Amino acid sequence: MKLQITRLRVEQLRRFRSPLELGGFEPGLNILAAPNEAGKSTLVRAIRAAFFERHRSTAVEDLRPWGEGSGAAPLVELDFLLDGQDHRLVKSFLGKKRCTLAAGARSFDGTDAEDHLAHLFGFSFASKGASKPENWGIPGLLWVEQGRGQELDVSHARDHLHDALRDPGGDSAAELAASGGDAILDSLRAQRDELLTSTGKPRAAHAEAIAQVAALEAELGAIDAQVATYRQQVDQLAQMRQQHQADEMAKPWETLREELLAAQRRNGALQAGQEQLRNDRARWRQLQETRELLATEFAGLAHQQAEAQTRERACEEAATQLQDSDAAVAHARQNAADAQRRVDGARDAWRSASQEAQRRNLGQLLQQAQADAARSAESLARAEEAHARLATLLAAAAVAPKIRAGDVEQLQKLERAAHDADLRRQAVATRLQFVLPEGQTLELQARDQIHGLRGEGERLIDAPVTLHLPGGGQLVITPGGDDLVALARSHADARDALHAALLSLGVDGIAQARSRLGASADLDAQIKLAQQALGIVAPRGLEALRDELAQAQSRIATAQAACERLPAAAAESALSIEEAESAQQAAVAAEQAAQKSLAEALRRQSAAQEASASALRELAAARAALADPGRQQRHAQATQQWLAVGAEAEALTARIDQTNANVQAARPDIVLQDIDRLQRSIEQLTRSHQLRREQLLLLENTLQQAGAQGLEEQREALAGQLMQARRRHAELRRRADALALLCHKLEQKRQATLVRLQAPLQSRMQHYLPLLMPGATVQMDAELAPATLTRINGSGAAESGQLQELSFGAREQLRLISRFAYADLLQEAGRPTLLILDDALVHSDAPRLAQMKRALFDAAQRHQVLLFTCHPEHWRDMGVALRPLA
């Protein structure tokens, strides 16, 4: 059944307050291109609402124009061809709820029209509220919403697909596979599911039987373990009694205690030897420190002798340096005096040059001040003239009538409104044309006024009038239509508004208003020019110019007074101020250098004097130290003490070596280890003997209790219960295995039948799939949805995977070509098909998009396709014109 939408019109629907109509849709591919927020998804929503929503539904508030009140009535009109027959669907919601369907010569209204559409297109309506995906049927399968291309829910159109796939001559198994109504298989599955999970694991009574067998086996194993433990403990008791009696007689810990005492005595002797060794080493270190002190004293005595010789040489060098510094100071004093005389002469020359330079500067300042005074006086005169002109213009502007450009624009708008209203009135008013002989007059009475009609002319009649005929009689002419009255009233209101605006501005017409506006603009321009002129000559105001003139006159008086105070000019020409300053600076620099050299010479003289005096003092002290009688006595005592300390240190070294050798041979670390080992052994033996005694008592008590429990009787009872539980488990396992095998066989048969039934759909899928993925195949699941993709990887091997594991773009591409296959199948079965793609394939790369275009173009040869896109540059190679949304 061929379906083609030919026209779509919407009004008062979301962003489309005004009517929008699209016509001339092609029977194949139609691409509607527009940027985001242009209304593409709104048109898709309008088509969905026209089919899926009841016209009386209150769950379509999303169709209301944005910002509109409760009176809005969203309207959708659709013209379409179905098997060559014209159909027109008109449906409005909310404010005006109605629905009509014209199908050739037949017509339907209200719910009859909606039910007829649902039957034709294969969908249903929600029993309450807005339409839902489960109601959309075939259109829901073929119409792709924005951002939902990667999703595919076949369940809501599954019955329609099964009807298209059903083999009229097939057996009952094929019918069962196509409809999904296999009650027997469902019953067997339910019985199997009572005993097994979906993964084949036991559940419910089967799992309980297994658990009971395991529990009884565990309990029986525990009793068997108790019996074995009882027997083992009896043997263990006899062995432990024998070991305990042997230890009681031998008492091995006593021998170890004697060995411990001997080791402790050896350790005491070693500790005494180590203490003696520490004392000897401490005394040896004291002797070494004494030898170091004596060596230091010997070095100090030798240093005194060398110091005295050094002081004698230093004293001679200091005397020589003192003589050189005295000569240098005398020479520096002479140079400083000469430099001071040159500085005094340079200063006198600079003062003369400075007076002459000051005299020249005052003359220049006087000339500059006189020029500034003349310029300020001229600027003040021009500024006062410009100020007077500006005051005159401002006074004229204050008394001139005011009018703004906005007022004139408003008058123009009112005049255009009145003119447009008059044109609309004339367009619908009744025209009375008359041609009267010369001398003949007709009277026309309109609105209590009488007009005489003579000669030839025309009158527009927009209200009832009376035409009085010569010789008696009258004609009453009443123009028809409520629109004429409203237009006449609108024209009168527009004229009244224009007249009121003219009165408020005090003008007779727009021409006078424009003239007044021009005069006002000219006056404003003159004021602006006058302000600019005043700003140029007096940017800071008249008072600033007056202040500048007063300051210039004050500078003139000051310069003249300063010139009079200067002394008379020198008779001979003096140096220039620059030459005088340069000469003075050179003289001062030379004088400073001389003073610096003098200061340096004095400093060196003072340092030489101090060094000479210090050298003499240090020489006297060194000679006094050498002459001290106690120095020879200290040297003799130190020599005697050095020899005694050396002999004692030698004896201590020999004793330390001998004692250290004896201690090392005795191995004190091993002796300590022997003590620790023996102590631990004694503790271990006594603790083990006591622990064995406690274990004997505990084991005897445990065996007495175990003998009273009757373990053999308990084991026999549990063995009987276990046998019964195993028989129950075997029965349930055989039943579960049988049900699982039966379900498996039936499902295999059903799957084989499904494969045969799905062959037409699989064929259509394989028609499109090579265009997208050459060499790939898709397996359909029981719900007739694509489930598994098999393709060749880069190494040439086949690989399979679920569609859900693919990327977003690949899932969208595969599910779009699945819709193309569904459309082919449904069309062959006589069902109407239409493909709507709202911003699809935006996540496809360039190569995949090119392949999908081929598949889309092929599908458009058999079905009408409405493709909405915000990327028109991607679809220019589809062989059809792109339609913008205006």
Side-chain angles (χ1 to χ4, degrees), residues 144-159:
V144 180
E145 293 183 279
Q146 186 178 41
R148 305 289 291 274
Q150 82 284 0
E151 301 175 5
L152 181 61
D153 187 357
V154 186
S155 61
H156 309 313
R158 184 169 173 268
D159 290 341

Side-chain angles (χ1 to χ4, degrees), residues 763-785:
S763 173
R764 297 313 302 167
M765 280 294 296
Q766 290 306 126
H767 172 77
Y768 293 105
L769 187 58
L771 298 176
L772 179 64
M773 298 178 179
T777 58
V778 170
Q779 299 299 322
M780 313 297 287
D781 60 15
E783 298 296 325
L784 301 181

